[in-house]
Amino acid sequence: MIEINEMNISFLSKSINESFARNVVASFLLQLDPTITELADIKTAVSEAVTNSIVHGYGDQNGIVYINAKIFDNGKVIIKVKDKGCGIDNIERAMEPLFTTGIERAGLGFAVMQSLMDNVKVQSKLNKGTTVILEKNIIRRYYNDDKQ
């Protein structure tokens, strides 16, 4: 598996930036010629991960959300959404459907991500932040420098 393209963005942890984040990632992935469903799935998963960073990672404080997206020669996409917020003390519990630490939250963010992506990993340290790693295989035509 060889990395063929990569992008990085960072932005303030404001809810208004959630749609910006998902659209930037979607635009980057268009070079893979994904189906509308694949693109919608990825956009929704990125939205959930970014929302978790904003709402649960930083809460009422301002911080920076970081996104790194990589495309590999086999059509695999790996997207990392990272914050330097409060972290998660019990990742297993946090990933249980309906578990939430937020008022008026459904607690379905990780369950939604898992249902839409091929693989979801979460790394977190208290008071250091959280990284959500989203993986998806897009197996159609994908970007190849030799063919351009």
Side-chain angles (χ1 to χ4, degrees), residues 12-15 51-64 85-86 101-103 105:
L12 286 177
S13 60
K14 297 184 178 289
S15 292
T51 298
N52 279 355
S53 289
I54 294 168
V55 172
H56 300 293
Y58 292 115
D60 293 333
Q61 299 178 357
N62 284 326
I64 303 292
C86 66
T101 58
I103 298 170
R105 296 284 168 185

Side-chain angles (χ1 to χ4, degrees), residues 91-108:
I91 294 171
E92 231 175 74
R93 183 153 187 240
M95 292 183 76
E96 291 176 6
L98 304 179
F99 176 79
T100 185
T101 58
I103 298 170
E104 297 181 20
R105 296 284 168 185
L108 294 172

Side-chain angles (χ1 to χ4, degrees), residues 91-141:
I91 294 171
E92 231 175 74
R93 183 153 187 240
M95 292 183 76
E96 291 176 6
L98 304 179
F99 176 79
T100 185
T101 58
I103 298 170
E104 297 181 20
R105 296 284 168 185
L108 294 172
F110 287 122
V112 168
M113 287 181 248
Q114 288 173 317
S115 72
L116 299 174
M117 301 300 286
D118 295 326
N119 195 19
V120 176
K121 299 175 194 168
V122 179
Q123 302 167 341
S124 189
K125 290 186 180 179
L126 283 178
N127 303 313
K128 300 280 184 187
T130 300
T131 301
V132 176
I133 303 164
L134 306 167
E135 297 180 10
K136 185 86 164 174
N137 294 306
I138 299 177
I139 309 178
R140 263 159 303 292
R141 181 181 66 81

Side-chain angles (χ1 to χ4, degrees), residues 9-21 50-51 53-55 58-59 61-67 81-84:
I9 61 169
S10 60
F11 48 89
L12 286 177
S13 60
K14 297 184 178 289
S15 292
I16 192 81
N17 289 330
E18 175 270 325
S19 64
F20 162 75
V50 168
T51 298
S53 289
I54 294 168
V55 172
Y58 292 115
Q61 299 178 357
N62 284 326
I64 303 292
V65 178
Y66 305 86
I67 298 180
V81 178
K82 178 181 178 180
D83 64 64
K84 294 182 180 179

